[in-house]
Amino acid sequence: MSTDPARRVHLRVLVPDFIEEIDVPGQVGAAGKVTDAPQFREHLRHMVVEHERSLKAHIGRMAARGQGTLTVEFRVLHISPLRQLYFINSGVVYEGLYKLDLRPNPDSAAVPRPDTAEGDLLDIIGGSRLDRWSLDSGEQDRENLAHCREFFETLWRGARELAPATLPPIRPDAP
């Protein structure tokens, strides 16, 4: 990465609030009903905390290397993570939906049956196709970008900070 001490990079990350019960991602129960999977949710919460710590570690690295100033904000909102939005400055957005995946739940007491997903996790994974909307690509793109920004800003205003002091301790035995 090139050096530019005057560069300013501001990163805002909005993630689901995994402290509270959530259905998706969750465990598939009887009759296909998806319910909360507490141990899996704890694992996801741990991943979010570690991701925040990793990104914040770059603040000092960028400054020490003369690569600019990085600020990182994480917020959480009690919402199922289905939609992906990635903004580049104010002129480009990549938008997509997460893919869903059924996979065995290592913490499930349910005995798997070949004809049902009962006991499996309905997990959200990346890998979806992303659409790109840009300010310089016509009126429809500008409208799509504006709608995406409005959607994100509405969620951001409703979210709360991811503060380690408000998080329960990370359990080392979580999957």
Side-chain angles (χ1 to χ4, degrees), residues 7-105:
R7 178 178 25 201
R8 304 272 183 250
V9 177
H10 184 72
L11 180 61
R12 294 191 301 168
V13 181
L14 181 61
V15 295
D17 184 357
F18 291 120
I19 291 177
E20 297 184 36
E21 287 185 10
I22 193 168
D23 290 342
V24 177
Q27 181 171 316
V28 178
K33 181 173 172 46
V34 181
T35 59
D36 186 49
Q39 289 180 309
F40 182 55
R41 187 169 35 84
E42 174 67 11
H43 168 72
L44 295 172
R45 188 194 66 78
H46 175 76
M47 288 175 55
V48 167
V49 169
E50 288 304 313
H51 188 57
E52 180 197 32
R53 287 179 186 155
S54 174
L55 285 172
K56 287 189 171 182
H58 289 288
I59 293 170
R61 289 186 199 123
M62 279 183 65
R65 295 176 181 159
Q67 296 171 329
T69 302
L70 171 65
T71 57
V72 177
E73 285 183 88
F74 266 73
R75 288 193 184 178
V76 295
L77 185 66
H78 192 242
I79 189 171
S80 289
L82 298 176
R83 189 172 179 189
Q84 304 174 66
L85 293 172
Y86 304 96
F87 294 93
I88 311 295
N89 298 323
S90 59
V92 176
V93 65
Y94 290 90
E95 175 187 32
L97 297 176
Y98 284 106
K99 287 184 178 180
L100 297 174
D101 187 30
L102 279 172
R103 61 184 184 85
N105 182 355

Side-chain angles (χ1 to χ4, degrees), residues 1-2 5 21 23 33 42 46 60 66 71 80 84 89 108 112 121 123-124 128 132 134 136-137 149 162 169 173:
M1 186 178 265
S2 65
E21 287 185 10
D23 290 342
K33 181 173 172 46
E42 174 67 11
H46 175 76
T71 57
S80 289
Q84 304 174 66
N89 298 323
S108 175
L121 290 174
D123 196 2
I124 293 171
S128 70
R132 181 183 186 275
S134 172
D136 59 2
S137 294
R149 181 158 309 282
L162 176 67
D173 61 334

Side-chain angles (χ1 to χ4, degrees), residues 150-169:
E150 180 181 359
F151 177 74
F152 178 82
E153 293 299 336
T154 299
L155 295 179
W156 187 260
R157 286 190 306 271
R160 67 175 175 76
E161 286 188 34
L162 176 67
T166 64
L167 295 175

